[in-house]
Amino acid sequence: MDKNFLIISNNDADLNLIKTIIDFKRFNIVIFPPSYDIEQAILSSDFEAIIADYDLAEDRVMGWIDILQKKKSKSCLILYGEKCGTEKIAEILRKGAYGFIPRSLLADRIHAIVEDGLENRKAFIEILAMIDEQKIINERLEQEKTALRKKNQELDFINRLSCEVAYDLNWEHILPKIINAGLPNIIDSDIVSVLYRISNDWYFSCYLPGNLCDDNTVDKMKDNICDKFYSLSGEKIFTKEVSVSVYSSEAKELPDKSILSSDQIILPLIHRERTLGALTILTKNNKSSKNKNNEILSTILNILVMSLNNAQEYERVKKMTIRDGLTGTYNQKGFKEFIESEFQKAKRYNRPLSLIMIDVDNFKAINDNLGHLAGDYVLIELVNRLKKSLRKTDILVRYGGDEFAIILPDTKTKEAEALMVRILSSVKCEFFNWKDEKILVDISHGIAAIAELGLMDNAKDLISIADSRLYNAKRRLHKYSSITRNDNHAVFIAQ
């Protein structure tokens, strides 16, 4: 067995967990505590993968990455822990680590991350093998200068693309980086586009001659690649919600019909049998381009898939910081991000947007009389009932304490009011059963819609209107005065 696998930890629970989940029959396992001379171990041995407890060695991790890079090691470095903030995680990933797993998700994520990391390592080995092979070709076939120049150009492109894209976690400007790395020269193309998803949002970027940069042409390209994506993955995309970026090339004017040529190359971005997006290229000489550039296209896809998967994983880890620990909904930090994003999207595409603010009536009495565990149960059960009335696109947030917010994209005021009728019915339809107690729960709410803002043009105004209406509803509410018990059941009685 010549495949080495290094684990850096002295936490028996972690070690036992990792040993239980990962099939170590494939590797020669080496376990070192953080106090060991890890730097020397990395210098003297080659490891397929390294798993390290970041919390025990955070001040040494960057040094390990430097050693691996200087050594030109193919090792896949995976870290886990709970003391690393979002910005630090991003820095570590940009520096060269493959992934970071929150300690609370170690059991759920370690197997997938390791498998992904080994696949990632395999892709890099293939790239390095291609570079080594090309060096041999350069030495043996010096006389074939034309072919050699082309290969050198491709290698330079791959190196630049790897540096620019491989560990880029921000895909907002990914297409210009691909273009600037030299893709049009390598593939001989003036029209390139990429469709991809980050979290729940879809993005489409295209690069084409200036005479084709009109809305009609870009919409045709977007619809076309969305249809192709559907045929590849079976997933339908609502094209009106796809954010679009357009970049102009310096090419001469081309006929509009060329952008939808049947000879265009559609390259799905697939990671572990999951289609993440698609890259579309229309070359100047379409007929034999795909076969001619098959090797370079395969390498490009490996780099893009790895980068996009890293960006999605980073976004997933980032979103963990905007979740409420009790209810699992988004917290106030998440609310600020989503309301701003949905508000700008609604303004940009002239789409409706509504916001509902909800408050649990007399929640303090529940806590005071039945205890905080009962109060926690009420909040969790309320969220479960709210979710049953919501669409997948609706965003539920625990705004604070016993107050919740629901962001409703593509929803007018009347539709929001109809939703609240369903929600009130689901909340009042039956008691909240806590142990032997039956708790009667009621809620107040305030609704605001973007259409009523007038000259006000920011998300804070929408929040202010909904919050004000919630406050007015609370003022009109009959206050609950006591809890009476009958047959061991608690019921709130209104004055």
Side-chain angles (χ1 to χ4, degrees), residues 258 260-265 282:
S258 67
L260 301 180
S261 168
S262 60
D263 292 323
Q264 63 184 340
I265 303 171
L282 184 65

Side-chain angles (χ1 to χ4, degrees), residues 37-47 67 71:
D37 189 352
I38 304 300
E39 292 75 11
Q40 183 58 38
I42 295 175
L43 280 171
S44 59
S45 302
D46 290 321
F47 299 99
I67 292 173
K71 186 183 175 183

Side-chain angles (χ1 to χ4, degrees), residues 113-350:
I113 290 291
V114 168
E115 291 298 322
D116 289 351
L118 293 177
E119 285 188 12
N120 172 59
R121 178 182 182 275
K122 181 180 178 182
F124 268 112
I125 291 175
E126 290 176 358
I127 294 173
L128 294 175
M130 187 187 75
I131 295 175
D132 292 340
E133 179 184 359
Q134 184 56 48
K135 289 180 180 179
I136 296 174
I137 292 174
N138 289 345
E139 295 172 358
R140 293 180 179 178
L141 305 176
E142 188 175 353
Q143 67 278 15
E144 297 182 7
K145 293 183 179 180
T146 301
L148 185 59
R149 281 195 298 269
K150 178 174 174 55
K151 286 293 182 180
N152 283 336
Q153 185 182 31
E154 290 179 353
L155 289 174
D156 180 61
F157 165 69
I158 289 299
N159 287 331
R160 283 184 282 122
L161 186 68
S162 297
C163 293
E164 289 289 328
V165 173
Y167 291 103
D168 194 338
L169 301 177
N170 181 9
W171 263 56
E172 183 178 355
H173 301 295
I174 205 69
L175 186 57
K177 293 184 178 181
I178 296 172
I179 299 302
N180 292 337
L183 179 65
N185 296 329
I186 294 296
I187 306 299
D188 194 22
S189 172
D190 293 320
I191 299 178
V192 181
S193 65
V194 61
L195 174 75
Y196 63 95
R197 172 171 51 196
I198 298 294
S199 188
N200 294 321
D201 299 322
W202 283 98
Y203 300 87
F204 173 71
S205 296
C206 57
Y207 169 83
L208 66 168
N211 72 303
L212 299 181
C213 290
D214 59 276
D215 292 342
N216 184 53
T217 302
V218 172
D219 284 342
K220 286 182 181 179
M221 293 180 64
K222 179 181 67 174
D223 292 344
N224 181 58
I225 194 171
C226 286
D227 289 341
K228 296 293 184 183
F229 182 85
Y230 176 70
S231 66
L232 291 169
S233 67
E235 183 176 356
K236 190 69 175 178
I237 301 172
F238 185 38
T239 57
K240 290 184 178 180
E241 292 187 353
V242 177
S243 298
V244 176
S245 300
V246 181
Y247 304 94
S248 177
S249 73
E250 297 178 356
K252 296 180 180 179
E253 295 186 354
L254 296 176
D256 184 22
K257 64 180 181 179
S258 67
I259 66 168
L260 301 180
S261 168
S262 60
D263 292 323
Q264 63 184 340
I265 303 171
I266 307 292
L267 303 168
L269 304 175
I270 300 176
H271 180 265
R272 293 178 64 83
E273 300 183 354
R274 183 168 65 97
T275 305
L276 308 180
L279 178 70
T280 303
I281 300 172
L282 184 65
T283 59
K284 296 176 182 177
N285 183 15
N286 297 326
K287 292 184 179 180
S288 61
S289 293
K290 187 170 184 179
N291 293 332
K292 182 179 179 182
N293 295 291
N294 185 62
E295 184 178 12
I296 193 71
L297 289 175
S298 176
T299 303
I300 292 170
L301 284 182
N302 283 336
I303 294 172
L304 293 182
V305 167
M306 179 185 64
S307 176
L308 180 53
N309 183 64
N310 285 343
Q312 291 182 338
E313 181 65 16
Y314 169 71
E315 188 67 20
R316 186 191 66 80
V317 173
K318 177 183 175 183
K319 281 196 171 182
M320 291 175 57
T321 67
I322 58 175
R323 287 281 185 182
D324 174 51
L326 176 65
T327 63
T329 63
Y330 293 106
N331 57 23
Q332 191 172 105
K333 180 180 178 183
F335 173 76
K336 291 178 181 179
E337 293 186 13
F338 282 113
I339 191 64
E340 188 63 36
S341 173
E342 293 298 330
F343 188 89
Q344 294 303 326
K345 189 185 299 183
K347 296 284 285 187
R348 185 185 307 121
Y349 298 108
N350 194 27

